[in-house]
Amino acid sequence: MTDYKMHLLICGGTGCKASESDEIKNRLTQLIHDLGLEDEVQVVLTGCFGFCEKGPIIKVLPDNTFYVQVTPNDVVEIVEEHIVKGRPVKRLLYTDPTSDEQISDSKGMDFYKKQIRIALKNCGFINPENIDEYIARDGYQALGKCLSEHTPEEVIKEIKDSGLRGRGGGGFPTGLKWEITKNVENEQKYVVCNADEGDPGAFMDRSILEGDPHSVLEAMAICGYCIGADKGLIYIRAEYPLAIQRLKIAIKQAEDYGLIGDDILGSGFNFRLELRYGAGAFVCGEETALIHSMEGLRGEPTFKPPFPSVSGYMGKPTNVNNVETFANIPVIINKGAEWFSKIGTEKSKGTKVFALAGKINNVGLIEVPMGTTLREVIYDIGGGIKDGKAFKAVQTGGPSGGCLTKDYLDLPIDYDNLLASGSMMGSGGMIVMDEDDCMVSIAKFYLDFTLEESCGKCTPCRVGNKRLYELLDKITRGKGEEQDVEKLKELSGVIKDTALCGLGQTSPNPVLSTITNFEHEYKAHVIDGKCPAGQCKSLLRYDIIEDLCTGCTLCFRNCPVGAISGERRQPHYIDQTLCIKCGVCYEKCKFNAITLT
Amino acid sequence: MAKIKSLADLRKMKEEAQSKIKLRENSANPEQVVQIKIGMATCGIASGAKETMKFFVEELEQEAIDAVVTQTGCMGYCYAEPTIEVTLPGKEPVVYGHVKKEKAREIIDSYIKRGELVDGIIPVSFKTIDD
Ligand SMILES: Cc1cc2nc3c(=O)[nH]c(=O)nc-3n(C[C@H](O)[C@H](O)[C@H](O)COP(=O)(O)O)c2cc1C
Ligand code: SF4
Ligand code: SF4
Ligand code: SF4
Ligand code: FES
Ligand code: FES
């Protein structure tokens, strides 16, 4: 056996692949071969490390050196300096945004310090295309243990005891869902993995499937064993080609080893897996719509009950779980419910993966214990707000969630706390906003998304959201009236109460939470005709301060619409009816004679 | 590929597969295993640090001692190359100089296995940047 002294882990996630990690891998492999080091240095393409913004990432083991933003041109230096001479290439190390220090060992990076990885435990650690590496990390042991040593009831009890709740958005207790599906009598049942992941900014499910596909397959088989299903279906969006490719490889390898298929590990249990592709409609992530889509019907939600557990795919009992929910299962079986339930808060156990994005220094995918505060996530792991700006709000829960202000920074994140504060966990998107973000525009952005994604089946969602959008648009265009804010609240309430599915029922959340937490900002728009963040163009006004204007004519010559007039060496003047607020004059004036209000 | 027919087979396979990624497992929890850093700057290499490193990697593997062997830059003891720094779990690092094969053997047998210090210790007179 080859005994490697060094492993080079190169990120093969979607983000890093997009910035040439394949080319980096090829060059590295070639160079190491040329130097005759192929028996000493192993090059491994892994899944996402979570730190995608700084990709492509290379991690060198055993010293845990973490290189960021590597380009194919850096390969020679890495090999010659680090691999041959043992000197890390300093310029490729990560620089801590708060201390400005370079950190070489990934263990010293704040981004990783507060994380506990359960669902992501293999991501960035193993080669997802090699089942042996998964097996080396306890892979399929949980399945083997369940099949050979435990009854379905015992396994379900373990999951219930662990306190695991669905990570797809609703937070329904997973063990309970399995039990309900198990207790429905039927010869044919199904296990469905919801890999539709439509929340803007969220990509944890994709990363898990790309970085550790076997964990999901193993969990689905365990679920099948528990509920009495011999068939699993993975509903994945067609826009995730890499995840699809890795899943296909994983299914093939598991079949070859007999870990998926007939008479698994001599237990008599059969389980087969198939992929189903979604066309990328957000509403198809809703479980009833997802099932209709798989049946070849329009991806429209239907009223529940009946729940899929009772009547799902093809009218048969179907257990639908999210990717991240599944990824937790093998670890729970291997380490035990007690171990798992010690992590997290009283009613939310374990960890949650978040996709941190927005105006934050360390953008990426993180996994933290439930109960971690927003402050720890934003300032410790996220490295604080970009460019030293002030924190304004954080949006959690995607289009169904809300914006939380600085008053909530010390809120321990869990399902119940987020709901109680007017937002929600959702699938784990977390978008950080700074002083330059206009909350009315943010609400409008989310509404635009839900409006676009509404299936149109019911009036409150189809028409109501359109009206909400129009009102918000009116306000951002400076045409808002005072009663519009009341109208927004009223209409939001009606939509929440009357829409058929979760999409419509939650669509007003971003509007309501921004009104609750930032009413003054709405008021500023409609009463004072001002956008405090300076984002709503129609509300901006450029003026020339006569006393400072030297009459240099620079603004006059650069204004694209001829809104500026004035004589040479005389103060100039902006005609507000012509100005399109492009800001060119403001940038050009060398005498600070132009103001923006 | 041969099918895996039982849980026992799967467990056996895991053992085999594990050794291939042991280096990765060990690096993930370095504080729990023996850590050896070998000075590998110009003078170190010239006086045989590469052979020393190879020796440690192979011997520790042979004896099934969980360890992380890494190379590091100049430790500042050009006169005593090859120099190594050994950290046993839960202990302060110890630096040894002039570590050729025989010395390495002695360090493994006495210090790493039994925790008994051997001659040739260099007092640590500096702090590395990651301290
Ligand atoms: C509009 C809408 C979109 C949803 N999108 C997703 C999704 O992309 N992925 C997902 O796992 N769950 C999504 N859900 C939640 C699912 O309906 C369902 O609750 C989940 O798949 C159950 O799995 P869990 O219990 O493991 O979370 C969505 C729900 C709604 C109402
Ligand atoms: S609430 Fe919206 S997405 Fe849901 S069924 Fe009604 S129209 Fe369709
Ligand atoms: S660029 Fe400034 S100083 Fe020159 S004319 Fe315009 S406002 Fe006056
Ligand atoms: S903002 Fe643009 S359009 Fe308006 S006056 Fe200045 S240059 Fe002209
Ligand atoms: S894709 Fe490479 S770190 Fe996420
Ligand atoms: S170069 Fe080796 S100790 Fe200085």
Side-chain angles (χ1 to χ4, degrees):
Chain A
M1 191 195 81
T2 330
D3 183 25
Y4 299 108
K5 288 197 200 57
M6 224 177 205
H7 292 201
L8 295 178
L9 308 183
I10 302 163
C11 177
T14 294
C16 290
K17 259 186 188 280
S19 34
E20 298 189 287
S21 69
D22 279 326
E23 175 64 15
I24 296 173
K25 187 203 163 200
N26 294 341
R27 287 204 197 177
L28 266 178
T29 315
Q30 182 63 45
L31 204 61
I32 283 169
H33 175 85
D34 292 348
L35 290 166
L37 290 174
E38 64 266 44
D39 288 341
E40 296 189 34
V41 184
Q42 188 187 25
V43 180
V44 190
L45 201 64
T46 69
C48 172
F49 284 89
F51 214 15
C52 316
E53 196 208 10
K54 294 271 185 291
I57 308 279
I58 296 186
K59 188 164 171 178
V60 185
L61 298 178
D63 40 311
N64 282 314
T65 304
F66 198 86
Y67 289 129
V68 296
Q69 291 172 323
V70 180
T71 70
N73 297 331
D74 299 323
V75 167
V76 172
E77 196 177 342
I78 293 178
V79 172
E80 287 182 350
E81 281 296 299
H82 193 153
I83 297 174
V84 177
K85 294 187 194 140
R87 293 193 287 236
V89 181
K90 289 235 167 62
R91 63 179 180 86
L92 296 173
L93 297 176
Y94 167 74
T95 308
D96 185 286
T98 25
S99 68
D100 244 354
E101 261 176 54
Q102 281 196 319
I103 299 176
S104 78
D105 188 331
S106 59
K107 297 204 134 36
M109 288 166 60
D110 287 333
F111 184 72
Y112 288 107
K113 271 191 210 157
K114 291 213 164 157
Q115 296 198 39
I116 293 186
R117 301 193 144 211
I118 297 176
L120 298 179
K121 84 177 178 102
N122 290 326
C123 286
F125 195 87
I126 62 168
N127 174 353
E129 298 183 6
N130 182 345
I131 188 171
D132 289 350
E133 295 205 345
Y134 180 65
I135 289 174
R137 294 273 280 172
D138 291 329
Y140 292 103
Q141 297 289 329
L143 176 62
K145 209 159 104 179
C146 292
L147 296 181
S148 331
E149 295 167 3
H150 295 289
T151 62
E153 290 78 11
E154 285 167 359
V155 181
I156 290 178
K157 179 164 187 309
E158 195 75 12
I159 304 294
K160 279 170 92 177
D161 289 348
S162 76
L164 176 68
R165 294 170 67 172
R167 305 294 195 236
F172 192 81
T174 306
L176 187 60
K177 196 190 272 182
W178 290 20
E179 188 172 65
I180 295 169
T181 322
K182 173 187 166 21
N183 289 341
V184 180
E185 295 286 331
N186 207 303
E187 284 194 356
Q188 181 67 59
K189 296 183 189 177
Y190 296 97
V191 177
V192 170
C193 173
N194 187 343
D196 193 56
E197 193 165 53
D199 276 15
F203 59 103
M204 54 286 288
D205 292 347
R206 190 191 73 203
S207 287
I208 292 171
L209 294 170
E210 285 175 2
D212 192 18
H214 285 286
S215 66
V216 176
L217 309 188
E218 182 180 2
M220 289 180 74
I222 294 173
C223 178
Y225 172 69
C226 289
I227 67 167
D230 64 358
K231 194 142 190 213
L233 302 162
I234 303 173
Y235 185 84
I236 181 165
R237 11 184 83 207
E239 294 110 313
Y240 281 180
L242 186 61
I244 291 172
Q245 184 201 342
R246 298 246 164 97
L247 273 173
K248 282 187 181 160
I249 295 171
I251 292 174
K252 169 89 174 50
Q253 289 177 344
E255 282 171 349
D256 286 348
Y257 270 164
L259 296 166
I260 294 290
D262 290 339
D263 190 21
I264 297 171
L265 298 174
S267 66
F269 171 65
N270 307 328
F271 193 75
R272 305 214 159 267
L273 276 164
E274 267 177 40
L275 297 183
R276 293 297 166 82
Y277 306 112
F282 177 64
V283 76
C284 286
E286 198 282 335
E287 49 191 9
T288 59
L290 180 150
I291 288 166
H292 295 141
S293 166
M294 287 201 304
E295 290 168 340
L297 305 171
R298 285 186 65 154
E300 280 177 349
T302 40
F303 188 72
K304 295 189 282 189
F307 288 94
S309 290
V310 177
S311 172
Y313 182 59
M314 298 297 180
K316 307 289 182 197
T318 303
N319 189 92
V320 184
N321 276 129
N322 161 263
V323 172
E324 189 188 332
T325 313
F326 277 128
N328 278 288
I329 299 286
V331 189
I332 293 175
I333 304 289
N334 283 328
K335 297 213 170 202
E338 211 193 315
W339 173 86
F340 187 83
S341 63
K342 284 206 179 108
I343 304 168
T345 63
E346 200 196 329
K347 291 208 185 113
S348 306
K349 299 300 184 189
T351 55
K352 180 73 192 88
V353 182
F354 291 102
L356 256 189
K359 309 282 182 59
I360 192 155
N361 278 313
N362 299 337
V363 166
L365 205 61
I366 61 160
E367 181 170 354
V368 290
M370 299 272 187
T372 305
T373 64
L374 284 167
R375 189 186 301 280
E376 288 173 293
V377 168
I378 294 167
Y379 287 93
D380 299 344
I381 299 173
I385 311 300
K386 259 202 176 123
D387 304 324
K389 296 253 162 109
F391 166 83
K392 183 166 196 176
V394 54
Q395 212 276 353
T396 75
S400 333
C403 292
L404 300 175
T405 58
K406 64 177 188 317
D407 295 341
Y408 294 93
L409 277 175
D410 292 306
L411 183 81
I413 309 165
D414 72 6
Y415 290 100
D416 310 296
N417 282 344
L418 286 175
L419 271 180
S421 49
S423 185
M424 62 185 281
M425 183 77 83
S427 64
M430 209 182 256
I431 299 172
V432 178
M433 288 155 226
D434 71 9
E435 53 193 297
D436 295 342
D437 287 305
C438 161
M439 300 318 281
V440 186
S441 307
I442 296 286
K444 190 171 114 177
F445 165 81
Y446 281 103
L447 217 70
D448 188 31
F449 177 83
T450 29
L451 189 60
E452 190 81 3
E453 297 290 340
S454 163
C455 80
K457 187 170 171 169
C458 56
T459 321
C461 174
R462 186 185 64 242
V463 182
N465 278 325
K466 178 86 184 150
R467 294 288 102 84
L468 275 184
Y469 180 84
E470 285 165 359
L471 281 169
L472 290 169
D473 189 51
K474 188 176 151 199
I475 296 174
T476 55
R477 280 190 297 108
K479 304 268 186 314
E481 299 157 84
E482 234 183 306
Q483 63 270 30
D484 288 341
V485 182
E486 279 316 307
K487 276 195 203 156
L488 279 172
K489 285 195 211 166
E490 217 180 291
L491 186 50
S492 292
V494 174
I495 298 172
K496 271 173 95 88
D497 291 342
T498 53
L500 171 64
C501 86
L503 188 146
Q505 287 155 6
T506 58
S507 57
N509 283 354
V511 182
L512 288 175
S513 84
T514 47
I515 295 181
T516 311
N517 291 321
F518 297 93
E519 186 151 18
H520 56 279
E521 217 161 297
Y522 279 83
K523 290 265 158 74
H525 281 76
V526 295
I527 301 174
D528 314 333
K530 290 226 156 61
C531 172
Q535 290 297 314
C536 296
K537 274 197 173 169
S538 320
L539 294 172
L540 302 181
R541 190 188 154 107
Y542 291 92
D543 278 304
I544 294 174
I545 306 170
E546 266 185 42
D547 289 352
L548 294 176
C549 177
T550 63
C552 74
T553 76
L554 200 58
C555 60
F556 161 78
R557 281 180 279 135
N558 280 289
C559 175
V561 292
I564 303 179
S565 52
E567 295 291 315
R568 233 172 143 37
R569 296 207 188 84
Q570 294 297 314
H572 280 49
Y573 168 79
I574 297 177
D575 182 345
Q576 298 297 334
T577 56
L578 294 177
C579 172
I580 54 163
K581 338 260 182 194
C582 69
V584 166
C585 55
Y586 184 76
E587 274 161 36
K588 291 283 175 192
C589 178
K590 294 193 180 71
F591 303 93
N592 293 326
I594 298 185
T595 57
L596 170 59
T597 46
Chain B
M1 261 194 267
K3 296 238 188 260
I4 307 174
K5 296 218 172 57
S6 68
L7 179 56
D9 279 359
L10 180 64
R11 288 191 172 143
K12 207 157 40 185
M13 238 192 105
K14 176 185 145 188
E15 307 272 297
E16 282 164 31
Q18 245 175 347
S19 65
K20 289 188 201 148
I21 64 161
K22 200 168 96 197
L23 177 79
R24 268 180 255 168
E25 300 281 0
N26 287 349
S27 330
N29 306 298
E31 55 297 323
Q32 287 161 30
V33 299
V34 178
Q35 298 174 65
I36 302 178
K37 278 193 194 156
I38 304 192
M40 197 79 85
T42 314
C43 70
I45 296 173
S47 36
K50 279 211 154 144
E51 287 71 38
T52 304
M53 176 158 180
K54 192 157 177 278
F55 183 80
F56 271 113
V57 171
E58 282 165 8
E59 286 303 298
L60 293 168
E61 171 68 30
Q62 277 269 310
E63 308 209 11
I65 295 172
D66 276 345
V68 177
V69 183
T70 50
Q71 25 180 335
T72 179
C74 168
M75 294 208 260
Y77 308 112
C78 307
Y79 64 95
E81 291 292 349
T83 356
I84 69 162
E85 183 190 281
V86 186
T87 315
L88 299 186
K91 295 218 170 131
E92 287 296 305
V94 177
V95 177
Y96 288 103
H98 303 290
V99 185
K100 301 253 165 136
K101 272 190 195 167
E102 308 80 71
K103 190 86 203 171
R105 182 77 263 157
E106 204 186 334
I107 292 173
I108 294 178
D109 290 341
S110 304
Y111 186 59
I112 295 180
K113 285 202 207 153
R114 297 199 301 272
E116 293 166 11
L117 294 172
V118 292
D119 286 349
I121 295 185
I122 302 179
V124 181
S125 57
F126 66 97
K127 284 257 174 205
T128 49
I129 35 162
D130 39 44
D131 274 340

